[in-house]
Amino acid sequence: MELLNIFTKAAFIENLALSYFLGMCSYLAVSKTVKTAFGLGLAVIFVLGITMPINWVINTYLLSEGGIFATDLTFLRFILFIAVIASMVQLVEMVVEKFSPSLYNSLGIFLPLITVNCAILGGSLFMVSKEYNFSESVAFGLGGGFGWFLAIIAIAAIREKIKYSAVPPALRGLGMAFLLTGLMGLAFMSLMGIDPAAF
Amino acid sequence: MADVKVAEKSGITFGKKERKLLTDPLSDNNPITVQVLGICSALAVTTGMKNAAVMAVAVVFVAVLSNFFTSLLRNSIPKQVRMIVQLVIIATLVTIVELTLKAVDFESYKQLSVFIGLIITNCIIMGRLEAFALANKPYESILDGIGNGVGYGIILLIVAFFREFFGKGEIFGFKIIGPTNEFLLDTTTSTWMGWYASNNLMVLFPSAMFVIGILIWVHRAWKPHLVDIS
Amino acid sequence: MHSTRSVITFVLIMTLLVALALAGMYSGLKPIHKKNEALYSKKATLSAISAHLPTQPSAMAEDEVISLFNNKIEQKVLNMKGQEVDASVVESAGYPGGKAENIDMAKEVKKPLDEQLLPLYVYNKDNGEKLYILYVRGKGLWDEIWGCVALEGDLNTIAGVAFDHKAETPGLGAEIKDNKSWYSQFTGKKIYDGDTFKSVYVRKGGAKDDVYEVDGISGATITADGVTEMLERGLEYYEPYLKSVKS
């Protein structure tokens, strides 16, 4: 039950994209159509889901004072986290390419983008500051990924429709995307304070 | 995009091309409003101008040095591990920033918390390494780093100014306007400033989106050639 | 194209250099980090009694803070029964130094309730009066909130409070730390009605009682409720000790 709480909380209430505005670069760049947004969203869920537990293991057993080196190596946290993320992304890319060329064709171009998606590194850093345990960090990773997926699909759908509206030329495209994301963020703020444990 | 390869020249000079490297990112090729890079950290740290200034300095530092080192190593970095090597350079510099900030200004360190770490995935830095430093000499790369870092910092400070001024009635933590006169040092000369009830919405995350959206609007209305037709 | 071997050598040399450089820098700066952290938490403790200090804690120099702590502040550590415990007990609980300032409250609240230790600071004013600074910790909307509550010598009237938080929303929940006109409402409130413990209630929509209630924060009901709960529970932990001092 506790894990389900963390999942719901990460997906809806502490939404990485709409409450913390993480991963905005790719969020704004790849949200022009729902189809591409869907692919990137799936890839983010996947990568967050694997990197979070791996980074948890690294942080707990290698870097912290209670780990196998018995010294405080937290100053290597950034380097190791980003290296894990970069190599996981590379690994996922290779595996997908080998076993499912069709999935690779639809997902492939987004994978390198994910390395520099702050939602992934941000998720890992939040996990450390929230002091989650292993299973909680898996739930947090999957929930965070799912929330990000929902957010990018939502903005892509709105942007597809808004093409038919008479937006002032200077506001068209990027400017409008910012304003829309702001409004969606406000809407998501109304979920703040819902305690998933109450259900 | 203005990512042209600067002509190979010997020696360090400062001519038209070099000036363009510095000034282009300030407006015409601004990392935030035109290239749309590095938004994540821009939103979270702009609740106050002090945090924005600290962040801007940190980003300029990381941008300049990572551009410099990548450019130095550009011929020896193996292609297969290019991304990872770049990320290691950036992550090292960011760790240096974090350790230094923790020693110099602990309050800011506490307030910026995870967002210092997120400089690593600030796409401006990675984007400039890929688009510029890998193909150009160290000197030009440093100029490009300064230009882009400062261009980013300016937007950060503008956004932070609006959010802090209207959200808290303060600039750099000093009270300017507010709901009553009591915060004013000299109430006889500046009574008119005691009428403003702070708008808490400006301090919340979504307002950063609105402010940047409006900035983009103004910027593109002023320079119509930047408008994207899509 | 580079050969696999040269790639591996390149990466290894680079990682080694980077790790060495960072390790050197980290161990060089560590004493300063520790000092900054200690100073930060001392200033947080002092800000609960800032009304009784000549200068604001945030503007104090380091030696000023330390001399205040050395000359004017007594540190005590209590157990849940309200008894003072020795430095050796504190050390064996995992806090080298054995003083109240060494206790990490974030770790302490995770222990079983009857094993927890409570830090207590007593500030001796120049006129001989005493101020007692108590620690409370609870949950806000997103994450933990905590604070120091200073009591006057009657162990009933609040002399000042200072709250802090891990991740409350700026402009809403974070107001418990930032909004001076909100938290200064606590000054002068009382926590006892005769001998009965009452605590202070944060009332949404405005205080209905001048002695035991303060106004809520608009838009931050959950954080405000968290403060109420934290005060009620946290201050009650100190009750056995407060009773023993009074009698």
Side-chain angles (χ1 to χ4, degrees), chain A:
Chain A
M1 238 8 244
E2 183 70 12
L3 296 181
L4 196 62
N5 282 348
I6 290 179
F7 181 88
T8 349
K9 217 169 150 191
F12 297 103
I13 304 170
E14 302 182 9
N15 190 295
L16 284 174
L18 294 175
S19 300
Y20 291 112
F21 294 114
L22 291 181
M24 277 297 137
C25 308
S26 32
Y27 177 90
L28 291 167
V30 193
S31 60
K32 283 185 182 146
T33 60
V34 174
K35 197 168 167 260
T36 49
F38 188 82
L40 182 67
L42 276 188
V44 166
I45 299 187
F46 197 59
V47 175
L48 258 177
I50 344 179
T51 54
M52 202 78 93
I54 297 180
N55 280 343
W56 185 88
V57 169
I58 287 185
N59 190 53
T60 322
Y61 292 112
L62 290 180
L63 298 181
S64 63
E65 253 171 286
I68 44 173
F69 295 116
T71 33
D72 184 12
L73 293 173
T74 42
F75 59 89
L76 293 175
R77 186 182 288 152
F78 292 156
I79 296 183
L80 281 180
F81 277 13
I82 198 70
V84 165
I85 293 169
S87 38
M88 274 305 120
V89 169
Q90 203 108 55
L91 201 71
V92 168
E93 200 178 346
M94 288 192 298
V95 170
V96 171
E97 190 180 12
K98 182 134 197 232
F99 291 104
S100 168
S102 64
L103 183 63
Y104 178 76
N105 284 336
S106 55
L107 210 70
I109 45 161
F110 304 119
L111 283 166
L113 262 181
I114 290 176
T115 314
V116 284
N117 185 326
C118 3
I120 313 279
L121 183 67
S124 285
L125 294 175
F126 275 122
M127 167 197 80
V128 172
S129 80
K130 284 173 196 276
E131 296 166 13
Y132 281 143
N133 65 27
F134 184 77
S135 42
E136 282 170 345
S137 64
V138 177
F140 182 68
L142 291 174
F146 183 66
W148 202 88
F149 169 83
L150 280 185
I152 193 168
I153 300 262
I155 185 88
I158 300 177
R159 285 181 79 172
E160 268 189 9
K161 293 284 172 211
I162 215 154
K163 271 188 211 144
Y164 306 106
S165 312
V167 178
L171 194 58
R172 221 167 271 166
L174 194 58
M176 206 55 208
F178 270 96
L179 296 185
L180 287 172
T181 317
L183 288 173
M184 285 165 66
L186 273 186
F188 259 69
M189 277 185 68
S190 60
L191 297 173
M192 231 165 60
I194 293 177
D195 183 3
F199 295 103

Side-chain angles (χ1 to χ4, degrees), chain A residues 19 21 25 75 118 174 178 182, chain B residues 36 40 43 95 121 123 205-206 216:
Chain A
S19 300
F21 294 114
C25 308
F75 59 89
C118 3
L174 194 58
F178 270 96
Chain B
V36 213
C40 322
L43 297 159
T95 315
T121 45
C123 342
F205 276 140
I216 292 177

